């Protein structure tokens, strides 16, 4: 019986040793993400009606690889893409904001 208790005690000690946490240190800061998107270059489009021509020209001016038009109540993903330009429109199809991401 003592041998069974010793074996069980040893097994429990080994299992619990795996639960001891080690302090987590923060990783070193990363270099800023290089992005091609420049929303400032497309800022001229804010306040204009979002026609295909306006969106295409602003997209090109922003030098973004991807483009997304966000309309009111439209579901969008929340991931950040530094190569994407976002055009936020109001109900009247007027561009209210231009952002990279």
């Amino acid at each position: 019986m003592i041998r069974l208790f010793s074996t069980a005690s040893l097994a429990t000690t080994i299992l619990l040793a795996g639960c001891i946490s080690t302090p987590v240190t923060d990783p070193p800061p990363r270099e800023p993400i290089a992005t091609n998107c420049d929303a400032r270059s497309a800022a001229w489009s804010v306040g204009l009606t979002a026609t295909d021509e306006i969106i295409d020209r602003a997209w090109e001016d922003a030098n973004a690889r991807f483009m997304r038009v966000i309309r009111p109540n439209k579901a969008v993903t929340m991931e950040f893409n530094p190569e994407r330009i976002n055009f936020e429109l109001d109900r009247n199809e007027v561009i209210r904001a231009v952002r990279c991401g």
Side-chain angles (χ1 to χ4, degrees), residues 3-4 7 26 38 42 45 47-48 51-52 63 66-68 76-77 81-82 87 97:
R3 187 172 193 183
L4 179 62
T7 305
D26 290 334
D38 179 16
S45 65
L48 300 177
T51 63
D52 288 342
N63 197 31
F66 305 103
M67 181 271 299
R68 174 168 67 176
V76 293
T77 58
N81 183 342
F87 296 95

Side-chain angles (χ1 to χ4, degrees), residues 46-99:
V46 174
L48 300 177
T49 301
T51 63
D52 288 342
E53 294 80 22
I54 294 292
I55 293 288
D56 287 344
R57 197 169 110 217
W59 181 11
E60 185 177 328
D61 288 352
N63 197 31
R65 185 171 178 195
F66 305 103
M67 181 271 299
R68 174 168 67 176
V69 175
I70 304 171
R71 291 181 170 82
N73 301 317
K74 179 182 177 185
V76 293
T77 58
M78 297 299 292
E79 90 282 356
F80 181 81
N81 183 342
E83 296 180 316
R84 178 177 58 210
I85 187 86
N86 295 298
F87 296 95
E88 296 180 25
L89 310 184
D90 66 13
R91 289 186 185 122
N92 298 318
E93 295 288 303
V94 173
I95 301 170
R96 291 297 168 202
V98 178
R99 295 186 181 89

Side-chain angles (χ1 to χ4, degrees), residues 23-40:
V24 177
T25 58
D26 290 334
R30 293 182 180 180
E31 293 296 317
I33 296 173
T35 176
N36 292 333
C37 180
D38 179 16
R40 291 174 296 184

